[in-house]
Amino acid sequence: MASNRSEMVRDHWRRMREAAVANPDETAADVRERVDRYWPGLTAEPGGVDYLEVEVNGLPAMWAVPKGAAEDRVVFGVHGGGYVSGSIYTHRKLFAHLAKAVGARALLIEYREQPFPVPLEDVTAAYRWLLDQGIDAGHIAAVGDSIGGGLAVSLMLRARELGLPLPAALMLMSPWVDLTVGNKTFESNRENEAFFYKEVVAFLASAYLGGADPREPLASPLYADLSGLPPTYVQVGGHETLLGESLEFEQNARKAGVDARLEVFPGQLHTFQMAAGYAPEADDAIRKYAEWVRPKIGLR
């Protein structure tokens, strides 16, 4: 049974839905302002973490540096937000919780809110930048939530195409990896959902694709050849409509020979980890990620 604290995530998505219904003519800037105002409050400040804003290839980025963290190990964070919202600022505390638990620095990278493939180009350029700083790929773990999770997988595919060394591990939070919006859990979990109904996700997918084929592997990595991906740990909420594509992605990854692990958190919604520092389910998820990934990047 979901804890009372985890209901704050459900309340958040419910408020976002109610605001969208009440303001059908609002602009993308209006949506972004609302998200920037309310999203950060879902995550507790982890404490003992310094934040340093930097510029990476002309785009904003941020280091989250826990006290005593290994300087040569990096969590490479790709934020979600449905492509129309979310930023390094809405997600800084979430990725800082993970960095603190791992004992490594986190680099939160920004990407332009333009149709595919622009966000992937930005994420790839940021990853190149990190490698150029002298960080060994074997000491990097990539993490992404929602569309950030999809982008993190697409980054692996693009890096493979370019001959770049891949990170040592991949952590995905409720990854959005299928822009066809065709999975059966959009119907079977509809009564449990608070925001990500099929019609909402279809609208977001159309905006992100900008006319591209929804089965394009670099946009929808569920349809990609996943061979060669690093060890991958997927976490997803049992009540969310994107559950089905996470299940399929993990199965496809295993068939491709990837060391893949999936965990479904009962009663939880999309990106429930955002309640880190408040909800026990979110804290448990962060702890499990950290315990899994530390040996992958050479930390005890």
Side-chain angles (χ1 to χ4, degrees):
M1 182 177 179
S3 69
N4 289 336
R5 282 287 192 170
S6 71
E7 287 299 304
M8 66 191 300
V9 177
R10 188 176 299 275
D11 291 341
H12 168 78
W13 292 127
R14 186 181 296 117
R15 287 195 301 269
M16 293 298 103
R17 180 193 69 210
E18 291 171 349
V21 170
N23 301 280
D25 297 324
E26 66 184 351
T27 65
D30 294 331
V31 174
R32 193 174 303 112
E33 190 276 332
R34 183 172 68 247
V35 171
D36 287 348
R37 185 168 69 250
Y38 290 112
W39 198 327
L42 285 169
T43 316
E45 189 65 66
V49 178
D50 293 325
Y51 300 97
L52 175 64
E53 295 187 43
V54 294
E55 188 176 280
V56 172
N57 291 318
L59 292 170
M62 180 185 297
W63 286 105
V65 186
K67 301 296 185 185
E71 290 289 320
D72 60 345
R73 266 66 172 181
V74 176
V75 174
F76 183 81
V78 188
H79 72 79
Y83 160 73
V84 297
S85 61
S87 70
I88 58 176
Y89 304 105
T90 58
H91 282 64
R92 67 171 180 86
K93 290 185 287 184
L94 170 60
F95 290 142
H97 273 281
L98 180 57
K100 184 176 180 180
V102 172
R105 298 185 295 163
L107 179 64
L108 289 61
I109 59 94
E110 197 59 90
Y111 49 88
R112 289 168 289 174
E113 292 174 352
Q114 296 181 20
F116 172 83
V118 172
L120 176 57
E121 292 171 352
D122 290 345
V123 171
T124 304
Y127 180 63
R128 279 184 179 272
W129 179 90
L130 182 60
L131 295 176
D132 289 343
Q133 305 309 300
I135 301 297
D136 190 297
H139 293 166
I140 300 171
V143 59
D145 68 293
S146 193
I147 187 62
L151 280 168
V153 180
S154 296
L155 168 63
M156 303 300 104
L157 304 173
R158 186 67 179 130
R160 187 183 65 189
E161 287 181 354
L162 296 171
L164 297 174
L166 271 60
L170 180 59
M171 297 175 284
L172 305 175
M173 303 178 181
S174 301
W176 187 17
V177 291
D178 180 9
L179 274 69
T180 70
V181 198
N183 202 276
K184 293 180 180 179
T185 48
F186 278 104
E187 299 304 328
S188 61
N189 257 351
R190 186 178 178 91
E191 295 302 314
N192 296 321
E193 185 56 71
F195 182 83
F196 292 95
Y197 303 109
K198 186 171 184 175
E199 56 271 24
V200 174
V201 179
F203 171 80
L204 295 173
S206 178
Y208 178 71
L209 289 166
D213 183 351
R215 288 180 176 266
E216 158 60 46
L218 288 177
S220 291
L222 182 66
Y223 303 101
D225 170 12
L226 302 177
S227 59
L229 261 65
T232 300
Y233 181 6
V234 182
Q235 293 181 352
V236 63
H239 275 183
E240 63 174 292
T241 52
L242 272 69
L243 170 63
E245 60 194 73
S246 284
L247 298 175
E248 286 192 31
F249 178 82
E250 187 260 353
Q251 292 169 0
N252 290 355
R254 283 183 176 275
K255 289 177 183 177
V258 178
D259 177 7
R261 169 182 179 181
L262 178 138
E263 186 165 2
V264 179
F265 287 71
Q268 298 303 299
L269 285 179
H270 193 64
T271 61
F272 66 92
Q273 299 90 343
M274 69 176 72
Y278 291 129
E281 293 91 343
D283 290 341
D284 184 45
I286 296 297
R287 177 185 59 79
K288 288 179 174 179
Y289 271 140
E291 291 177 352
W292 176 83
V293 81
R294 275 197 295 266
K296 303 286 191 300
I297 59 174
L299 293 176
R300 293 184 178 181

